[in-house]
Amino acid sequence: MRMRSQNQQHLLSAFVRVTLAAGAFSLISLNLDHTQSIALSKNLGASETSTRFLFIDLQSHWARKFIEGLLSNQALSNVLVAPDSISQFQPDRSVTRAELANILDIAFGNRNSPKITTRLNEPATKAEAFVLVARELNLNNQSVKTPQAYLLSMYRDASQIPDYAVPAIAALTNEGLVTNYPDPRILEPKDMLSKSELAVLLYQALAYQKKLPFLKSPYTINPNRQLWDRELMQVTSLEVSISRRTVTAFHGEIPLKTYPVAVGRQGWSTPIGNHRVLQTIEYPSWQNPFTGEVIPSKDPENPLGDRWIGFWTDGKNWSGFHGTPNRASVGQAASHGCIRMYNEDVRELFSQVNVGTMVRVSP
């Protein structure tokens, strides 16, 4: 077989590029009315139009409309499209941490946002991208009161979300800014971030800032459609952490809500181990263990508040969850072995537990 001359190869390459452009334009024209076709033909020479429609690997891609919309920004187009690329966008190629830092800087131009400065050649993860974009948008990470439980109600793999990313991903999800393909309920937070996933996230972030028009996608998570209703789920166990001064209510292995508590002070430690709720009393009275004085129920000075959930006894002394008039003590080691809670919190917990509910107390 004869080798083509260098001039012949250049001519063939030019012919292929022209053919691709003509074919793409013909395909687009079939879907436009006459007026739109005329308008498009006038702009065919513009770099924006050729950039948006000449990517063979985007023609049936799930993220196509987001990517093409994002590439209308020339600065982002310059960094997302390889200079030597004629017909390939490479939507499924992974993005390095250095690339992610550069693209975020171009997209948002926020000099005060934290920058990626380490492991620059390593692939970025989806969780990292979510955290950084949430910061760029200045989202309130406290907007979701129980972010871990909320995410468990939204994603089937929420348990894989790194702790550092939970508040940011919850905030982004709550704003409807998370899109997952092919299953919206599978987040895959530790997977490598692809160009298409980054482009979709960036587009939605810029649309959130009203810099781009809003786009719908069947793969965008609906923040109001949870996998299950946490409000209707029965508490099956309570886990108390002495060191963290918290109690977490669980349904099976799903954490529903965490409350701050006060625990036993030195010499009056809260009993460690596995217990069960033994009694529940609405508006309990309290007897001073030293003087025998009784403070009746509903008295504003009653140390037990207006709810009692007892889970341990030696036949004489008791330990349990209860309210308190001393709100400042919550979060401290301040009780005689009981677990103090804010009155509004113990009322909520009281309505969700029964005699027999498991109580696990750990150091």
Side-chain angles (χ1 to χ4, degrees):
M1 181 181 292
R2 290 187 303 167
M3 298 294 293
R4 294 188 180 94
S5 68
Q6 190 171 11
N7 287 337
Q8 287 176 317
Q9 289 177 342
H10 283 311
L11 287 172
L12 178 59
S13 176
F15 174 75
V16 169
R17 288 198 296 271
V18 170
T19 302
L20 283 171
F25 176 68
S26 298
L27 180 63
I28 297 164
S29 297
L30 290 174
N31 296 314
L32 299 176
D33 59 30
H34 180 67
T35 303
Q36 291 174 314
S37 297
I38 294 174
L40 182 59
S41 64
K42 289 181 179 178
N43 294 304
L44 184 60
S47 60
E48 177 185 329
T49 302
S50 60
T51 300
R52 291 178 62 183
F53 296 107
L54 285 184
F55 297 115
I56 294 175
D57 53 1
L58 283 187
Q59 296 308 304
S60 59
H61 199 276
W62 68 273
R64 174 180 175 176
K65 61 182 180 180
F66 290 97
I67 295 171
E68 292 180 347
L70 190 66
L71 295 182
S72 64
N73 180 312
Q74 192 60 52
L76 287 174
S77 178
N78 290 340
V79 71
L80 286 170
V81 180
D84 57 349
S85 176
I86 297 175
S87 60
Q88 301 286 324
F89 180 78
Q90 298 179 307
D92 301 319
R93 178 179 68 78
S94 63
V95 177
T96 67
R97 287 165 58 84
E99 288 176 318
L100 176 60
N102 184 41
I103 291 169
L104 291 179
D105 191 46
I106 292 171
F108 299 102
N110 186 356
R111 297 180 180 180
N112 297 321
S113 64
K115 307 298 180 185
I116 299 175
T117 58
T118 60
R119 299 183 287 116
L120 296 178
N121 293 326
E122 293 183 12
T125 66
K126 294 176 69 175
E128 290 171 336
F130 286 133
V131 170
L132 292 171
V133 169
R135 288 177 182 172
E136 295 287 358
L137 295 179
N138 197 28
L139 293 183
N140 178 10
N141 285 348
Q142 306 301 319
S143 60
V144 179
K145 292 183 179 179
T146 54
Q148 189 174 43
Y150 174 66
L151 292 174
L152 283 165
S153 74
M154 299 303 295
Y155 304 108
R156 295 188 179 90
D157 60 346
S159 60
Q160 298 179 24
I161 299 174
D163 290 343
Y164 76 88
V166 166
I169 294 178
L172 285 166
T173 301
N174 193 45
E175 295 292 344
L177 300 179
V178 177
T179 298
N180 301 309
Y181 175 86
D183 186 345
R185 298 291 185 177
I186 302 297
L187 188 65
E188 298 179 326
K190 296 181 180 179
D191 281 10
M192 293 184 296
L193 177 73
S194 69
K195 282 181 68 180
S196 59
E197 289 167 336
L198 175 57
V200 173
L201 181 59
L202 280 180
Y203 187 98
Q204 291 175 311
L206 294 171
Y208 177 82
Q209 293 183 325
K210 302 188 184 307
K211 296 177 181 178
L212 289 172
F214 172 77
L215 288 177
K216 290 184 178 181
S217 169
Y219 307 112
T220 298
I221 197 78
N222 183 338
N224 300 314
R225 295 186 63 185
Q226 300 181 1
L227 291 169
W228 39 261
D229 190 342
R230 287 175 293 138
E231 301 299 326
L232 300 178
M233 298 190 75
Q234 182 68 37
V235 172
T236 59
S237 66
L238 301 171
E239 293 196 4
V240 177
S241 170
I242 299 295
S243 59
R244 291 196 294 268
R245 313 282 200 268
T246 60
V247 57
T248 300
F250 282 82
H251 174 85
E253 296 182 356
I254 300 172
L256 301 178
K257 191 168 183 177
T258 297
Y259 304 91
V261 300
V263 296
R265 62 179 181 238
Q266 188 173 6
W268 295 86
S269 59
T270 301
I272 305 295
N274 295 327
H275 315 284
R276 290 188 180 275
V277 172
L278 301 174
Q279 61 178 197
T280 59
I281 303 175
E282 189 174 4
Y283 298 112
S285 59
W286 178 77
Q287 183 176 26
N288 189 311
F290 305 107
T291 67
E293 176 189 4
V294 175
I295 297 181
S297 62
K298 298 187 180 181
D299 189 308
E301 299 302 319
N302 188 324
L304 299 183
D306 55 19
R307 299 290 187 276
W308 165 263
I309 306 170
F311 62 82
W312 176 91
T313 182
D314 59 5
K316 178 181 178 181
N317 301 300
W318 279 84
S319 185
F321 303 91
H322 63 80
T324 178
N326 182 10
R327 296 179 66 86
S329 67
V330 174
Q332 309 298 319
S335 75
H336 289 96
C338 285
I339 298 174
R340 297 180 187 175
M341 303 178 67
Y342 293 128
N343 287 318
E344 62 270 23
D345 287 349
V346 76
R347 289 190 205 108
E348 183 174 273
L349 193 62
F350 185 91
S351 69
Q352 300 178 69
V353 301
N354 299 305
V355 171
T357 299
M358 177 68 73
V359 179
R360 184 176 295 108
V361 182
S362 58

